[in-house]
Amino acid sequence: MLIETMTRQASIALLDRTRLARLAYVRDGQPHIVPMSFAYDADCLYSFSTLGEKIVWMRANPRVCVEADELVNVEKWETVIVQGRYEELPDTPRYDADRRHAHALLQRRPAWWEPGYVKTIIDGKERPLEVLYFRVRIDRISGHRGVP
């Protein structure tokens, strides 16, 4: 197997065809990682969530990392790492167009609302299902692939 660097265009192509990634964020030196449904457009990853730990932590520290991949087998795979900044798209007139854009991009994918918008019970309490759209503005993108 050979591992090679992917071009920016190849990395973007993977982001464009992948719907699930892992979102990493940090608060007070403690990293955390969760799955995230997303859509790529114009150097941003668009997603949504309900209000919880992830959003609270990203509000406190907007520097995030996203990893997306396609794994065919041990020797044939691609992985892309995005470093960027969390940007919330609040339900205000200023962000109406951005929220509509995020929704339009996300709804093109089957079951686009999962896992971000499903019934969630934490410590025996159900979390309210209030949609919160956000984007990750890409500062840096890199990719590698395994070739047999």
Side-chain angles (χ1 to χ4, degrees):
M1 177 179 73
L2 172 68
I3 297 176
E4 59 185 25
T5 302
M6 294 168 56
T7 65
R8 181 175 176 83
Q9 293 306 85
S11 296
I12 288 170
L14 181 123
L15 292 174
D16 205 31
R17 69 179 178 267
T18 305
R19 78 172 199 92
L20 190 64
R22 278 146 297 285
L23 171 68
Y25 48 94
V26 176
R27 182 170 180 195
D28 298 330
Q30 178 62 51
H32 199 74
I33 189 165
V34 295
M36 171 181 94
S37 294
F38 75 96
Y40 170 84
D41 185 54
D43 284 334
C44 289
L45 303 178
Y46 288 86
S47 191
F48 68 98
S49 182
T50 54
L51 182 60
E53 178 184 271
K54 167 179 68 237
I55 299 300
V56 170
W57 285 26
M58 290 190 299
R59 284 174 176 169
N61 179 3
R63 304 295 305 166
V64 298
C65 184
V66 177
E67 187 272 342
D69 55 48
E70 284 184 336
L71 306 171
V72 176
N73 59 44
V74 177
E75 294 181 334
K76 188 174 180 182
W77 50 265
E78 293 183 346
T79 185
V80 170
I81 302 291
V82 167
Q83 293 177 341
R85 291 168 284 124
Y86 166 79
E87 182 179 309
E88 200 163 314
L89 305 174
D91 192 5
T92 63
R94 177 180 174 202
Y95 288 97
D96 279 348
D98 292 319
R99 290 172 57 83
R100 282 193 307 273
H101 182 67
H103 183 263
L105 289 169
L106 291 164
Q107 75 173 354
R108 293 179 191 163
R109 312 231 178 186
W112 65 272
W113 59 89
E114 294 179 347
Y117 193 70
V118 296
K119 184 176 182 177
T120 304
I121 299 174
I122 307 282
D123 296 327
K125 296 178 185 175
E126 188 172 337
R127 184 171 22 198
L129 289 178
E130 298 173 21
V131 175
L132 192 152
Y133 288 98
F134 66 92
R135 65 183 156 214
V136 173
R137 288 198 180 271
I138 297 172
D139 292 330
R140 191 171 141 214
I141 183 171
S142 61
H144 289 88
R145 67 168 50 110
V147 181

